[in-house]
Amino acid sequence: MVTAQNGDPNWWRGAVIYQVYPRSFQDTNGDGIGDIKGITSRLPYIASLGVDAIWLSPFFTSPMADMGYDVADYCNVDPMFGTLSDFDEMMAECERLGLKVIIDQVISHTSDQHAWFIESRSSRTNPRSDWYVWADPKPDGTPPNNWLSIFGGPGWEWDGIRKQYYMHNFLLSQPDLNFHNPDVQDAMLATVKFWLERGVHGFRLDTVNYYFHDKQLRPNPPVVYDANTTGLETDTNPYSMQSHLYDKSQPENIEFLKRLRSLLDQYDCRTTVGEVGDGDRSLTTLAIYTSGDDKLHMCYTFDLLSPRFTAKHIRGVISRCQEIVTNGWVCWAFSNHDVVRHVSRFMQTPQEREPIARLAISVLSTLRGSICLYQGEELGLPEAELSFEDLRDPYGIRFWPAFKGRDGCRTPMVWDAKKSLAGFSEATKAWLPVPPEQAVLAVDGQQDIEQSVLNHYRRTLEFRKRHAVLLDGDMTFVDTAADLLVFVREKQGERLLFVFNLTREAQDYALPAEFTEVSPEPMPGYDPPLSDRSVRLGAFDVFCAKV
């Protein structure tokens, strides 16, 4: 068993974290589903990218109604993925390769198959009767309020045994825990300690602002739409039509996060990454949750997981972050297991896939904060187009065809284009299809091509590590009339100027007079000419210089 190790307690600041979706990474037993042994076998590849840590999506015991985000046992590995011994072997290999391990901790809710819920629903007087959010119906039999489930329909489900409703923010088989009960908090912290004792270096906290609900069960008001309101799924999912003032982001959450941090601080070099989904208030919530040194180490929001890949949008998000998050830390990403892969979101034609894949990592690697990469993005994988019959995601099945769900970004990793299922599995069929348009982009075909997207990622991450200013240096935007993203990163006398052309047209950029000395420091893959203090940037081009 791996124990806490000495090292840099701030390793997470500016770290590059590689997300592994275990179901889809590598299958070793031929059942068409990825497993922990498969992850272990591919760790040298992950290390070769130049990342600092891996983030594992859930691998705990689960009925898999929501692909493992419905946990039935927090302290064991689902047999689908292997055993605790397999996990320990993976940890040992990560230690050998110098990789930290972050695991998904899904504690706002459990599976309805968890022993706690089975006991809680058995009566109103059992020892765990108050471990979940139970409420009486209104006199007419309807739910206690108007709270909705993200996955569609009311956020309440009737239970005939207790003759009460229970709350569920997600599937009806994912009942919400009652964090107002200190016994629930203690039990959850005990599961965190279990994995800390096994050597994990951190936790990605799923839906971290969903732990507490309003004890008065006050109804949510409707959203008042104006020019500043954002809601990508308003026309598809009525969840975004409410202002979620009472079913999440409650003030009581702060004290629990302090308890969690206090536990982690008993171990060396540990970290937390919170997922904050709070609409237009996400950055404010992030600022509160990461302020000081007694709550979360860092959080991420969905602000850069949108279809917008423009200088205006990125500058707007980062600027708002700098204004609001004055004493915290952000983790940025363009893709993860819940959104359409970013090359498909950003490109307008298939020919743009590679240049956008390269440009996206170049932008991401220069932002102030830590960054998350999602498996396969280093290959430039586009979103998979799946038929309804192929879907496994309950979210997509519920809202098809208006919303196709998350399976398109969860298809298996492609390793060898010459093999069946692109080397993911020796089974005749994987849990999700391996699309031909992804198979041709497999690792084996990009490994030895100097200009491949894969090797561009490697060189770009090496460039980031070579310049300490990119890890935690200051970031200041430079005003320009052109449609360009321009900023300076600065730390301890080192100043780097970055100019990104995210458009499809060539643009000229005249260096401001304030930069009296300019020495080009080309980012990998880019070297636009500098002539008489003016730079000519082609489409999707980047200029970098020491100033």
Side-chain angles (χ1 to χ4, degrees), residues 128-365:
R128 291 192 172 92
S129 61
D130 192 38
W131 278 42
Y132 293 81
V133 184
W134 295 98
D136 292 326
K138 291 181 179 178
D140 62 359
T142 55
N145 60 30
N146 68 343
W147 296 352
L148 296 172
S149 162
I150 291 177
F151 286 176
W156 299 94
E157 178 68 9
W158 176 255
D159 184 77
I161 299 174
R162 282 188 54 141
K163 297 179 175 58
Q164 286 183 303
Y165 282 96
Y166 65 84
M167 178 185 173
H168 62 95
N169 272 299
F170 301 92
L171 295 177
L172 58 87
S173 60
Q174 292 172 298
D176 277 83
L177 285 156
N178 177 21
F179 271 77
H180 291 288
N181 185 332
D183 291 338
V184 171
Q185 296 185 34
D186 291 344
M188 278 304 171
L189 292 175
T191 69
V192 171
K193 184 173 182 179
F194 174 87
W195 293 104
L196 286 169
E197 290 292 324
R198 250 185 158 80
V200 302
H201 303 89
F203 302 89
R204 180 263 187 184
L205 298 161
D206 185 64
T207 58
V208 72
N209 56 314
Y210 283 69
Y211 296 165
F212 286 82
H213 65 286
D214 175 50
K215 293 180 81 170
Q216 300 178 51
L217 303 184
R218 287 172 284 185
N220 287 326
V223 168
V224 178
Y225 291 99
D226 58 34
N228 297 317
T229 302
T230 60
L232 300 179
E233 297 171 348
T234 300
D235 295 332
T236 302
N237 187 347
Y239 183 86
S240 57
M241 299 177 187
Q242 287 186 0
S243 181
H244 294 273
L245 299 183
Y246 300 114
D247 52 351
K248 60 183 179 181
S249 303
Q250 298 305 292
E252 295 92 335
N253 208 25
I254 302 299
E255 291 306 312
F256 174 73
L257 296 181
K258 289 181 179 180
R259 291 192 66 193
L260 175 66
R261 177 62 176 265
S262 179
L263 172 60
L264 264 72
D265 284 348
Q266 297 173 30
Y267 297 80
D268 294 332
C269 307
R270 279 10 186 204
T271 194
T272 47
V273 188
E275 177 197 35
V276 175
D278 206 10
D280 291 337
R281 299 172 300 179
S282 288
L283 286 175
T284 300
T285 302
L286 185 154
I288 295 170
Y289 286 7
T290 62
S291 62
D293 296 319
D294 60 350
K295 295 179 283 295
L296 300 180
H297 297 79
M298 53 184 167
C299 287
Y300 75 87
T301 71
F302 298 91
D303 295 82
L304 292 185
L305 300 177
S306 80
R308 289 166 287 184
F309 187 58
T310 65
K312 179 181 179 180
H313 175 65
I314 294 174
R315 176 168 178 168
V317 169
I318 305 298
S319 296
R320 288 196 304 275
C321 178
Q322 291 177 332
E323 293 169 5
I324 297 170
V325 188
T326 58
N327 187 25
W329 196 253
V330 183
C331 188
W332 300 111
F334 282 135
S335 281
N336 66 23
H337 65 294
D338 281 333
V339 297
V340 173
R341 287 186 175 274
H342 66 259
V343 292
S344 291
R345 298 201 315 271
F346 299 159
M347 69 184 184
Q348 293 182 0
T349 65
Q351 291 72 30
E352 291 180 354
R353 181 189 60 80
E354 284 199 22
I356 283 182
R358 293 189 182 92
L359 183 59
I361 185 57
S362 299
V363 172
L364 195 66
S365 68

Side-chain angles (χ1 to χ4, degrees), residues 437-452:
E437 62 271 20
Q438 291 189 348
V440 297
L441 303 175
V443 171
D444 74 311
Q446 298 197 37
Q447 187 82 5
D448 299 323
I449 298 177
E450 185 178 353
Q451 300 305 317
S452 68

Side-chain angles (χ1 to χ4, degrees), residues 524-536:
Y526 305 98
D527 193 13
L530 173 63
S531 177
D532 194 24
R533 297 186 58 81
S534 181
V535 183
R536 178 70 171 175

